[in-house]
Amino acid sequence: MKPVKLGLIGVGTVGASTALGLKNNAVEIARRAGRDIEIVQASRRNIEQGMPAGCENIALTSDPFEVVDNPEVDVVIELIGGYEPARDLVLRAIENGKHVVTANKALIALHGNEIFAAAQARGVNVVFEAAVAGGIPIIKSIREGLSANLIEWLAGIINGTGNFILTEMRDKGRDFDDVLREAQALGYAEADPTFDVEGIDAAHKLCILASLAFGIPLQFDAVYTEGISAVSTEDVVYANQLGYRIKHLGIARRSEKGVEMRVHPTLIPEKRLIANVDGVMNAVLVKGDKLGPSLYYGAGAGADPTASAVIADIIDVARSITTDPQNRVPHLAFQPDQIVELPIVGIEEVTTAYYIRMQVDDKPGVMADITRIMGEREISIEAILQKEPEAGATQATIIMLTQKICEKQMNEALAGIGGLDSVHGEIHRIRVETLDAD
Ligand code: HSE
């Protein structure tokens, strides 16, 4: 059989690892794909940097449009990231009848509906395993392995940089900015690291997972997004003392009200496996009605793990090139005419438990005022921890865990508590999820 010919756009850390992986494992890859796979042209912005050692024979251009227009190329591998020109390049590749492999979660989250419609019309495949959770085959697992299940919810640590920062803060008491710099040096962080720390990268990924799990269109704007920049070392320590870990989670849940999609720091009981996923590792917990909960774990960022997913996608495309487009696994797991809009549950309607930290006057009656306001909003308190004030100090720190309550009621209660003369500064609130089998 003729070899499958690839055009590679982007020779950064993941692109270089993909080129080397295809070369070094060529024999094993051909055994799996049933044919040889070779890169015939690559593009990179800084052409003077050339191709990685061992791949110098690959033709290199600085113009990515040359690659998508190259008649020799069967499959375009888009590894430049970002919205533009990635969108234009991918749409042009599709128009030219080429299959596309991409690791670009931002592109899929924002423009996936348009891209998949174009690919469907042209009979080509667009695959994106590396877009979510790095090397973990979570997309394949949801799209194929769990296809018997009605998926009820999923929760994932889906940003490696954020998890690396939280882990280093907890284990070594390191400073946030210092750990972020290390994550950048290790090639984990996005080109704009605010995407990692403000939760945007995780929101891109969650929107993709929710779409695959529930058969809904990609709706990035509907994801409620909070990052980790407001998590303090203090909260990490108190959470530990209460038997919890703070993780940045992406959560998608289907209920009678509709679909929740949210990304935020979350306290998880330390006995849960996912609470012990540390460093750059990612994990996604999926609850299906048949299988129950299942957990997928592995490296969520970094050149080689991401290239592992990219190459797996290339092999999948190589195998599927000769199949009837109608019989391929659908891009978003459900047949295109079966993708349905479901109501989105706004964050104020979401029900969770809460961790609350506040600074109060250390005098009688303060706790009574706080619990009265909570009681009026039907908020039940699960645990209270009062840190003894330092000698001579007049204020104390109170930490509370509440039972589940609708976010709107919690907001009202916190506004009331914040208005008390005896409460000082910002009230810190982190949502709590037990992630049990329900
Ligand atoms: N910046 C991303 C992360 C890279 O840290 O998870 C992988 O998508």
Side-chain angles (χ1 to χ4, degrees):
M1 226 189 278
K2 273 190 356 194
V4 176
K5 301 199 171 172
L6 312 179
L8 174 66
I9 299 177
V11 191
T13 52
V14 177
S17 176
T18 299
L20 285 170
L22 285 166
K23 179 177 180 286
N24 295 341
N25 292 350
V27 174
E28 198 71 351
I29 287 170
R31 285 179 65 209
R32 292 181 191 274
R35 56 209 291 189
D36 288 333
I37 297 177
E38 62 186 59
I39 302 176
V40 294
Q41 189 178 29
S43 73
R44 76 182 303 173
R45 210 172 19 197
N46 303 318
I47 193 170
E48 66 285 354
Q49 291 178 1
M51 288 299 289
C55 300
E56 296 91 343
N57 61 324
I58 297 170
L60 190 59
T61 169
S62 59
D63 179 6
F65 286 92
E66 243 185 66
V67 177
V68 296
D69 289 338
N70 183 340
E72 229 197 319
V73 167
D74 303 306
V75 184
V76 169
I77 319 300
E78 184 276 303
L79 299 177
I80 51 173
Y83 306 120
E84 290 292 355
R87 174 178 164 274
D88 278 352
L89 287 162
V90 165
L91 288 173
R92 186 130 130 208
I94 292 168
E95 198 182 309
N96 289 341
K98 299 181 194 309
H99 304 276
V100 176
V101 174
T102 178
N104 190 335
K105 52 259 164 155
L107 176 74
I108 298 299
L110 264 84
H111 302 299
N113 297 323
E114 177 191 17
I115 288 170
F116 297 137
Q120 185 73 18
R122 194 68 176 82
V124 296
N125 224 338
V126 176
V127 287
F128 48 98
E129 183 63 70
V132 182
I136 307 173
I138 185 63
I139 290 177
K140 201 172 190 66
S141 300
I142 294 178
R143 198 157 53 181
E144 300 177 46
L146 297 178
S147 57
N149 288 259
L150 190 141
I151 295 177
E152 295 166 3
W153 57 262
L154 59 84
I157 296 171
I158 45 181
N159 181 267
T161 303
N163 203 39
F164 181 66
I165 294 172
L166 289 176
T167 305
E168 293 287 304
M169 279 168 73
R170 189 197 69 215
D171 291 352
K172 301 181 190 154
R174 284 180 65 192
D175 173 63
F176 190 104
D177 292 328
D178 172 42
V179 190
L180 175 59
R181 271 193 297 278
E182 188 181 343
Q184 288 177 287
L186 289 167
Y188 301 155
E190 294 302 294
D192 175 354
T194 57
F195 274 42
D196 295 295
V197 298
E198 297 307 340
I200 300 158
D201 177 76
H204 286 146
K205 294 166 178 169
L206 184 76
C207 140
I208 297 171
L209 291 178
S211 191
L212 294 163
F214 307 137
I216 56 175
L218 293 150
Q219 297 161 87
F220 171 68
D221 290 343
V223 181
Y224 172 80
T225 306
E226 262 179 45
I228 58 165
S229 56
V231 176
S232 69
T233 311
E234 242 181 313
D235 291 321
V236 172
V237 171
Y238 291 143
N240 264 9
Q241 288 174 10
L242 290 161
Y244 290 82
R245 298 275 163 84
I246 299 181
K247 293 291 175 190
H248 189 249
L249 282 192
I251 299 168
R253 190 186 298 273
R254 168 164 42 189
S255 69
E256 279 167 13
K257 289 195 274 182
V259 169
E260 288 171 26
M261 291 189 282
R262 48 194 168 99
V263 163
H264 51 70
T266 313
L267 265 76
I268 314 172
E270 66 189 3
K271 62 182 180 219
R272 296 269 174 263
L273 275 177
I274 195 168
N276 295 284
V277 171
D278 287 335
V280 76
M281 303 308 270
N282 279 194
V284 183
L285 181 56
V286 185
K287 170 72 183 351
D289 67 339
K290 291 273 177 229
L291 176 61
S294 54
L295 182 67
Y296 306 84
Y297 168 84
D304 287 350
T306 310
S308 161
V310 170
I311 295 172
D313 267 353
I314 294 170
I315 295 170
D316 252 6
V317 170
R319 287 172 177 148
S320 74
I321 275 178
T322 50
T323 60
D324 171 3
Q326 300 308 320
N327 292 326
R328 292 186 188 136
V329 180
H331 295 115
L332 286 176
F334 292 75
Q335 297 299 333
D337 61 355
Q338 295 300 315
I339 301 282
V340 291
E341 302 258 5
L342 292 175
I344 302 295
V345 180
I347 192 69
E348 286 228 310
E349 300 309 314
V350 166
T351 298
T352 65
Y354 289 87
Y355 158 100
I356 292 160
R357 171 169 62 85
M358 59 187 120
Q359 199 68 19
V360 301
D361 285 335
D362 187 25
K363 64 179 191 192
V366 171
M367 192 66 90
D369 285 341
I370 293 170
T371 52
R372 177 184 48 78
I373 293 174
M374 294 241 178
E376 283 166 3
R377 298 291 185 294
E378 294 178 359
I379 299 170
S380 184
I381 297 165
E382 180 94 17
I384 299 183
L385 193 67
Q386 175 166 350
K387 304 310 286 184
E388 227 174 279
E390 296 191 357
T394 55
Q395 291 181 7
T397 304
I398 292 179
I399 294 109
M400 285 182 170
L401 287 180
T402 74
Q403 291 188 350
K404 283 185 180 179
I405 188 76
C406 176
E407 177 122 352
K408 189 164 182 284
Q409 276 162 270
M410 179 54 80
N411 288 343
E412 288 168 2
L414 293 186
I417 293 169
L420 294 172
D421 291 340
S422 50
V423 175
H424 302 283
E426 196 185 337
I427 302 177
H428 299 264
R429 154 255 302 265
I430 305 179
R431 297 172 189 87
V432 180
E433 293 284 345
T434 51
L435 301 181
D436 40 25
D438 302 338

